[in-house]
Amino acid sequence: MRRTRGRWFHGAMANPVILTVDDDPVVSRAVARDVRRRYGDRYRVLRASSGPEALDALREVKLRGEQVALLLADHRMPEMTGVEFLEAAMDIFPAARRVLLTAYADTDAAIEAINVVDLDHYLLKPWHPPEEKLYPVVDGLLEAWAATPDAASAEIRVVGHRWSAPSFKVRDFLARNLVPYRWLLSDDPEGVRLLDAAGATEADVPLVVTPEGKALIAPSEAELAALAGLTVVPASDFYDLVVIGGGPAGLGSAVYGASEGLRTVLVERRATGGQAGQSSRIENYLGFPDGVSGAQLTDRARRQAVKFGAELLSAREVVGLSEAGGARLLRFGDGSEIAAHTVVLATGVSYRVLDAPGLADLTGRGVFYGAAATEAPSCVEQDVYIVGGANSAGQAAVHFSRYASRVHLLIRGADLTASMSRYLIDQLERIDRITVHPHTAVVGGAGEGHLERLTLCDTRTGEARSVDTSWLFIFIGAEPRTDWLDGVLVRDERGFIVTGPDLLAGGRRPAGWSLSRDPYHLETSVPGVFAAGDVRAESVKRVASAVGEGAMAVSLVHRYLEAQ
């Protein structure tokens, strides 16, 4: 049974950081002086003389559990340009606002930075007088940063056991929602002190402590979302468009719907980004020649949707869909409802469960589905096993190779060519720490309290062998989460939603279709309800196509509304 218990602790919170980077000592001192003069009472102003030095400073700030509000980087630096620094800094503090200092001749660099690092602003040197050319810009950026959930939840602390599945779920939820937190083991001195202060024991973990000092024992995802400043209650009971699912397709629909004047709400069961949001690096997405992490892409899309006025609801599961005249009713798991003129279903897919003896009991305790990026730092100098031969598995292998002593990629086929993009296969071949094991399946797992060993089988000979490991990450195909739509919409034999021309059988429209026209291309068997992305039958399972379908769905929503 879950227990929630509140207690208040007291302690000083460190001021957020403003970091300036410039290799010219005179300019460096000047910008730090001007920033400190206006903001030094509320922010801790740090300065660095190079990109690498600044990245070291950011990592130290991260380890201390502090937040970075603003980065001001000069473009022309010898070791690392300002654009290169800001791109690297996004992986450490994705919510920090980013400003590039440029000379008049460097406007091309500023334009590049807008595309590469989602630059918030660029300032031409010199910026004097700062009251006119510096402070108004910085004021606006700091206000925008302070309004983000990341800023409000900077000091969340999570106390848990290393092999506790509930502790992993809490960390995974916070990480996937880009909420900063500090992870403390339950037997660490500070972890013990927090447990004692909350009147809890190691058996009660996970313990979550808010910035104000309120302690929550084994909180639900809805409680986590609320304390992290994420929205969980809709502002209205009726919308023009409800988007269900926060992956690339759903975010695409939310951005285009809100930007085109539709009152839009996006409802996400767990965290925006979906499976793509867990990717350590997406390198074949248009417009990002150097690649982009799933977290970065998700954060940009989320902020873009909010900028246009879309509402984002977190930790809310939709369990029912029905028609009520011209409206579409959506029922949440708690029994509450919202209604809309139109709906876009973008619920994506989830990884299939690997059915092998012993694995179910070890899920979250060494056995993970998806990348589980929170676990990567714990895999240092250990052997990691990954099951799957598609791009998601390959991206995970590259990511974990930065930490593990050896990454073993297990595939049933003879090679990766049939299931993985060529650029990714080439990457894997260049990394000595990664070994691909063809014709190999996991047929069992065992361990006391957590995964300790796997049983592998050669699919050609049936020969089995045992390997010692504490880490198994599974990417074995996907299943749509559409059981809640059974009897409501037409689905194919695998549960994917059928749309558009595929609904026509022998020229006949689907049963119950009430309109005199055929369904639009992405429209389901219920008029005004559309499907986009991986959940749609026969869709292309790529990030770019999902975003495109999300945008296309909104154009069809407009066509539907105009005809009503």
Side-chain angles (χ1 to χ4, degrees), residues 63-328:
L63 288 174
R64 288 201 299 264
E66 301 175 21
Q67 281 298 289
V68 173
L70 181 67
L71 302 167
L72 297 101
D74 182 61
H75 177 60
R76 293 197 176 192
M77 295 187 291
E79 293 183 76
M80 176 184 285
T81 69
V83 173
E84 291 170 340
F85 161 72
L86 291 173
E87 184 177 17
M90 287 176 67
D91 288 327
I92 306 173
F93 287 100
R97 296 314 193 213
R98 294 170 283 278
V99 177
L100 191 70
L101 301 177
T102 67
Y104 286 103
D106 291 332
T107 53
D108 287 346
I111 294 172
E112 176 192 359
I114 291 171
N115 294 326
V116 174
V117 299
D118 196 20
L119 190 70
D120 292 295
H121 206 88
Y122 71 90
L123 291 171
L124 293 175
K125 299 185 294 185
W127 57 84
H128 295 292
E131 288 76 12
E132 295 180 12
K133 298 183 178 180
L134 177 66
Y135 296 151
V137 171
V138 175
D139 284 347
L141 293 177
L142 291 177
E143 287 176 6
W145 176 83
T148 63
D150 308 69
S153 59
E155 291 293 320
I156 287 177
R157 287 163 288 176
V158 179
V159 182
H161 189 276
R162 179 67 202 84
W163 300 113
S164 161
S167 297
F168 165 71
K169 288 182 179 179
V170 167
R171 296 166 60 210
D172 187 57
F173 179 85
L174 294 175
R176 291 181 62 182
N177 280 285
L178 306 180
V179 177
Y181 68 92
R182 185 180 178 191
W183 167 243
L184 300 166
L185 292 174
S186 55
D187 55 358
D188 283 347
E190 186 174 355
V192 171
R193 285 193 292 270
L194 287 174
L195 287 172
D196 288 344
T201 69
E202 191 171 352
D204 295 319
V205 297
L207 168 71
V208 177
V209 182
T210 71
E212 301 82 9
K214 185 177 181 180
L216 301 175
I217 296 175
S220 67
E221 289 186 348
E223 290 169 326
L224 282 175
L227 73 86
L230 303 174
T231 303
V232 296
V233 178
S236 175
D237 57 6
F238 196 92
Y239 295 85
D240 295 319
L241 171 63
V242 175
V243 181
I244 306 176
L251 288 168
S253 289
V255 167
Y256 283 93
S259 68
E260 294 175 11
L262 297 177
R263 186 166 191 186
T264 303
V265 61
L266 182 149
V267 183
E268 170 53 43
R269 184 174 63 96
R270 292 208 63 209
T272 51
Q275 288 189 9
Q278 299 181 68
S279 175
S280 58
R281 206 74 178 169
I282 302 170
E283 298 194 60
N284 59 350
Y285 188 67
L286 183 67
F288 292 89
D290 298 319
V292 61
S293 73
Q296 288 176 357
L297 191 62
T298 296
D299 180 54
R300 294 180 186 191
R302 186 177 64 179
R303 288 195 285 125
Q304 196 172 15
V306 171
K307 180 185 77 171
F308 287 125
E311 287 182 45
L312 303 185
L313 298 185
S314 300
R316 296 301 300 269
E317 184 173 11
V318 178
V319 298
L321 167 67
S322 59
E323 298 180 73
R328 304 293 174 261

